[in-house]
Amino acid sequence: MSREKQNGYTITFEENKKEREDQFVVCSYAQKDIGSHRHDFFELAYVTGGRAEHALDGGVQIPVCQGDYFIIDYGSMHRYSGSRDFTLINCLFLPEVIDQTLAGTESFDEILRVSMVRYYRRLPDLVPVNRIFHDDDGEIRACIEKMKWEYENKAIGYQEIFRCQLSEILIRMVRNIVSEREAPAERMHYSGPVRDAIAYLGKHYAKQSVIGDFCGTYHYSRQYISRRFHQETGRTAMKYLQDIRLEKSCELLVGSDLQIQEIAAAVGYEDLKYFGQLFKQTLKMTPGAYRRLANGSAECGESAGRSR
């Protein structure tokens, strides 16, 4: 991969692949400083040694060191500076390596929505792309090394093994984000009123007037709770309630034979049209499409999730 270019250039998959049919490339690099550039592919980078400063889309420089790993989205600008004995394993891949129906996709959010629909519902606004993760137990490096071996040796079925290893890494990233987001309220240093609200909404989400009922039960004004909740969680109480209801509806779509209207009512929405609009706005698909896609992809997703 050439490094002698001006800032703002594009590195293409064509110039990196070794064989015409390649849909992914895995190589080790002794990475030097490199100016801002973008890719026409997705990149999974794992730091195997040294350290450097990494800047994404013109943002602040973030130190990265051994054991850090991250995915760079299609078209995102990034650069490395201050490299000191900096080594990487870079996995460059096209979206169709995950699923042929994704060919031409230029958004990692879209890849997750289609390939991991049963997990995507948990983080519609927090995807693992352009975030720094750390491999505490070495299991991510083991996956990366396996992917590299399969790419270099190209034994029968190497594409499928690569896809499964990549799926495991993505699921582990999603798991980390969900764990952070869904940490118990008491661990998030929320105030008593906000902890009470979170617990109440989680238990009574199906009630039509649940926020008003909470305020009446605990003797808080709605204005006070709304302000405190948003200040401490970054979401309004109504948005938090909607997220719970949509997550529960996803569980019912996958795990029950209830009709969509019955599911809407079970999670607190009597207006089926409004439920459908809210679901599509958040999940980028209708409830019926979600059910079909989730049931169709369950076997692959669960198999990758069980890998170790």
Side-chain angles (χ1 to χ4, degrees):
M1 184 183 294
S2 173
R3 298 293 189 261
E4 304 299 326
K5 298 187 179 181
Q6 298 297 315
N7 284 349
Y9 63 95
T10 298
I11 296 176
T12 69
F13 192 77
E14 284 293 323
E15 69 186 79
N16 283 280
K17 69 179 186 179
K18 297 180 180 179
E19 299 182 12
R20 185 172 60 87
E21 67 274 15
D22 279 347
Q23 293 182 340
F24 60 90
V25 176
V26 188
C27 295
S28 297
Y29 291 103
Q31 180 70 63
K32 305 299 183 182
D33 288 358
I34 178 172
S36 295
H37 62 283
R38 62 175 64 86
H39 314 134
D40 67 353
F41 51 84
F42 300 93
E43 177 182 355
L44 168 62
Y46 187 100
V47 182
T48 55
R51 59 182 59 247
E53 302 285 330
H54 181 238
L56 179 69
D57 288 331
V60 298
Q61 297 185 135
I62 300 176
V64 290
C65 59
Q66 183 173 347
D68 288 340
Y69 62 100
F70 41 93
I71 289 179
I72 305 300
D73 207 352
Y74 188 109
S76 288
M77 296 288 291
H78 76 122
R79 63 185 173 89
Y80 295 114
S81 60
S83 302
R84 297 185 294 278
D85 302 318
F86 188 47
T87 56
L88 294 168
I89 297 178
N90 269 356
C91 171
L92 322 179
F93 61 95
L94 300 176
E96 53 263 41
V97 76
I98 296 176
D99 192 299
Q100 288 296 324
T101 63
L102 292 169
T105 299
E106 299 182 2
S107 164
F108 201 77
D109 182 68
E110 178 71 7
I111 289 178
L112 280 186
R113 185 183 70 79
V114 173
S115 65
M116 296 187 181
V117 65
R118 300 186 79 185
Y119 310 100
Y120 179 88
R121 71 175 189 270
R122 307 287 290 277
L123 63 163
D125 57 344
L126 289 174
V127 295
V129 72
N130 299 343
R131 297 165 60 101
I132 307 297
F133 297 84
H134 189 75
D135 184 18
D136 292 318
D137 55 16
E139 292 193 7
I140 300 300
R141 179 159 188 174
C143 290
I144 294 280
E145 295 283 5
K146 181 67 172 175
M147 294 159 69
K148 183 171 181 286
W149 189 95
E150 293 293 339
Y151 171 73
E152 292 172 346
N153 290 275
K154 291 183 168 62
I156 293 175
Y158 76 96
Q159 299 101 325
E160 192 65 18
I161 292 178
F162 174 90
R163 184 178 68 86
C164 289
Q165 294 294 323
L166 179 59
S167 293
E168 177 171 352
I169 292 172
L170 298 183
I171 290 172
R172 288 181 179 277
M173 287 177 161
V174 168
R175 181 184 295 172
N176 286 342
I177 295 173
V178 170
S179 295
E180 292 174 2
R181 182 172 183 174
E182 297 184 350
E186 60 270 17
R187 287 171 45 198
M188 299 299 292
H189 307 294
Y190 293 145
S191 64
V194 173
R195 287 201 305 269
D196 290 340
I198 289 173
Y200 193 92
L201 295 180
K203 185 176 181 181
H204 302 287
Y205 61 87
K207 297 177 66 174
Q208 289 294 305
S209 57
V210 59
I211 296 177
D213 289 349
F214 165 76
C215 292
T217 300
Y218 284 82
H219 307 292
Y220 296 123
S221 73
R222 187 158 184 155
Q223 182 180 17
Y224 170 78
I225 283 298
S226 297
R227 183 177 68 254
R228 289 295 298 268
F229 201 99
H230 188 264
Q231 287 175 344
E232 296 183 31
T233 70
R235 286 184 282 178
T236 65
M238 179 57 69
K239 180 61 168 64
Y240 184 86
L241 176 62
Q242 288 178 350
D243 289 346
I244 293 175
R245 286 174 167 176
L246 289 178
E247 181 175 338
K248 297 299 183 181
S249 71
C250 288
E251 293 175 0
L252 290 172
L253 285 166
V254 176
S256 79
D257 294 324
L258 292 174
Q259 297 296 313
I260 292 175
Q261 184 168 358
E262 294 175 306
I263 290 173
V267 300
Y269 294 111
E270 296 295 338
D271 187 335
L272 179 60
K273 182 178 179 180
Y274 176 74
F275 169 71
Q277 291 174 339
L278 183 62
F279 193 100
K280 187 172 183 179
Q281 178 183 344
T282 305
L283 277 296
K284 307 298 188 293
M285 68 181 80
T286 65
Y290 178 92
R291 170 173 269 171
R292 292 190 296 272
L293 187 58
N295 288 335
S297 64
E299 182 177 349
C300 177
E302 290 174 357
S303 175
R306 289 193 297 268
S307 300
R308 292 291 183 269

